[in-house]
Amino acid sequence: MNVAPVFTALADPTRRAILARLAVSEATVMELARPFALSQPAISKHLKVLERAGLVSRGRDAQRRPCRLEARRLAEANAWLESYRQFWEGTYQRLDA
C-alpha cells in the first residue's frame, strides 16, 4: 500500500478543506471553489491531485460532474499511521516503566 500520494495531497490546507467539504456531501467544482479566494482552474488542479491520490472521484449526473470523497484511501492511510502509533505508544510505555 503506497500511502505517499495520500500524504502529499493532505499536506495542502486547501485540499484538506476540500476533503472536509466533500465529507458533508458531494459538490461540483464551482461549489467547491466558492469559499476560497481561488479561481475555478486552481481548484481543479487541487482536485486533480486529490484524484491521483485516490481521495476524490468525479461522477456524471446529467450536466453536473459532482466530486465525491473516496474514504477508503483515507482509511488506508489511517491504518498505516495506526501501526506507527501503536509502536510509539509501546515504546513510551516501556520508557515509563
Side-chain angles (χ1 to χ4, degrees):
M1 162 180 54
N2 182 11
V3 293
V6 173
F7 291 118
T8 299
L10 293 174
D12 184 274
T14 300
R15 291 193 284 269
R16 290 193 305 271
I18 289 170
L19 290 177
R21 167 58 181 83
L22 291 175
V24 174
S25 68
E26 65 183 34
T28 64
V29 175
M30 292 306 292
E31 291 167 340
L32 292 170
R34 270 190 211 125
F36 300 102
L38 297 172
S39 66
Q40 182 270 333
I43 293 294
S44 290
K45 287 180 183 181
H46 282 295
L47 285 169
K48 283 184 187 318
V49 172
L50 291 167
E51 281 184 284
R52 282 194 298 268
L55 295 168
V56 169
S57 64
R58 293 193 203 201
R60 188 173 295 279
D61 181 18
Q63 298 296 325
R64 296 180 67 233
R65 295 219 11 150
C67 300
R68 294 178 183 89
L69 176 66
E70 295 295 332
R72 180 186 55 81
R73 288 294 285 161
L74 284 173
E76 290 172 1
N78 185 56
W80 185 85
L81 284 171
E82 181 63 21
S83 66
Y84 284 95
R85 187 195 63 76
Q86 290 174 359
F87 168 77
W88 286 109
E89 188 174 281
T91 301
Y92 293 137
Q93 287 174 355
R94 287 188 297 279
L95 184 61
D96 285 343

